[in-house]
Amino acid sequence: IIGIAGAGRQISEDVYEAIEKYVEDEECNFRKITDYAKIIMAVTALNGDPRNVAGYDILEKIYNNENITLQGTNGPAFALIALDTGDYIIPKDGLWTRERLVEWILKQQNTDGGFPLVYGDTSNIDITAMVIQSLSKYRENLKVAGTIERALEFLSSKQSSSGGYETWGDDSSESISQVIIALAGLGIDPYDQRFVKKGNLLSKLLSFKEAGGGFSHI
């Protein structure tokens, strides 16, 4: 939904109705914070109001969620991305304000500049790129700006000569995509010299394109 809407294509009204039915059938009770985040992002892309999806306030399900860190760094990062898809007002007495989310995320950074899924673990390319995406609107804060700069240095240093990233021993199209999205959120061209080795992000991503038009994982 997000991709199609971003490409300016028309989306059938049935799609929003399907989301409402999904939320209603589940009684808006999801285990993962990223499930709520994805619904907010999709509904916003459809010009809907995530504060009223089948009568449920999905925003409140995020900012008052006691299990927001259950998915490690991934949870708060995507919570912040979702809340920032619109100019949504978050109550100051909410359990997780934007400020608290930013503060929590900043504390997860490793000394190498990258971010792990779980605090103290090895830095992860995808998670680091997602964190940059979540912090991109807050870089006027000097502490945030410094954190982002160290994260960019990490991503640059981990890029392979072919222009991609090895995840679990294989080049992954998703890792490249996450880094491109992160750079775009900062207004940085993917052809920035820091991300051009023998290959570059875009040429490497296009190498995953299949004859049928889709993209492979590895």
Side-chain angles (χ1 to χ4, degrees), residues 22-178:
Y22 174 57
V23 171
E24 197 169 26
D25 288 349
E26 298 294 331
E27 298 181 344
C28 200
N29 185 23
F30 301 102
R31 186 174 65 87
K32 296 180 178 180
I33 197 71
T34 49
D35 288 330
Y36 294 114
K38 285 183 280 189
I39 293 170
I40 291 173
M41 294 164 72
V43 168
T44 302
L46 292 168
N47 296 315
D49 187 350
R51 292 164 291 195
N52 183 15
V53 180
Y56 293 98
D57 184 344
I58 313 296
L59 292 180
E60 194 272 338
K61 291 289 186 177
I62 281 187
Y63 65 71
N64 276 335
N65 198 302
E66 295 182 351
N67 296 317
I68 203 166
T69 62
L70 195 63
Q71 289 175 262
T73 310
N74 202 31
F78 262 98
L80 192 56
I81 290 171
L83 295 179
D84 284 342
T85 53
D87 295 324
Y88 303 121
I89 297 174
I90 307 304
K92 292 182 179 179
D93 61 350
L95 193 60
W96 288 94
T97 61
R98 286 180 171 90
E99 291 74 20
R100 190 181 174 200
L101 285 168
V102 169
E103 183 182 352
W104 189 92
I105 291 169
L106 292 178
K107 292 178 180 177
Q108 310 310 304
Q109 190 171 35
N110 283 332
T111 55
D112 62 6
F115 282 81
L117 177 60
V118 178
Y119 182 73
D121 281 0
T122 304
S123 294
N124 179 284
I125 299 297
D126 297 50
I127 295 296
T128 301
M130 292 171 192
V131 165
I132 292 174
Q133 293 167 38
S134 72
L135 296 176
S136 62
K137 293 186 178 181
Y138 303 89
R139 58 188 184 279
E140 289 184 2
N141 178 312
L142 292 179
K143 189 174 181 180
V144 172
T147 296
I148 290 176
E149 193 57 38
R150 291 191 297 276
L152 288 173
E153 290 173 3
F154 169 79
L155 291 177
S156 174
S157 69
K158 294 298 180 181
Q159 188 181 19
S160 66
S161 61
S162 66
Y165 292 93
E166 286 193 4
T167 304
W168 312 117
D170 287 301
D171 272 333
S172 158
S173 60
E174 290 92 343
S175 295
I176 301 167
S177 300
Q178 291 294 350

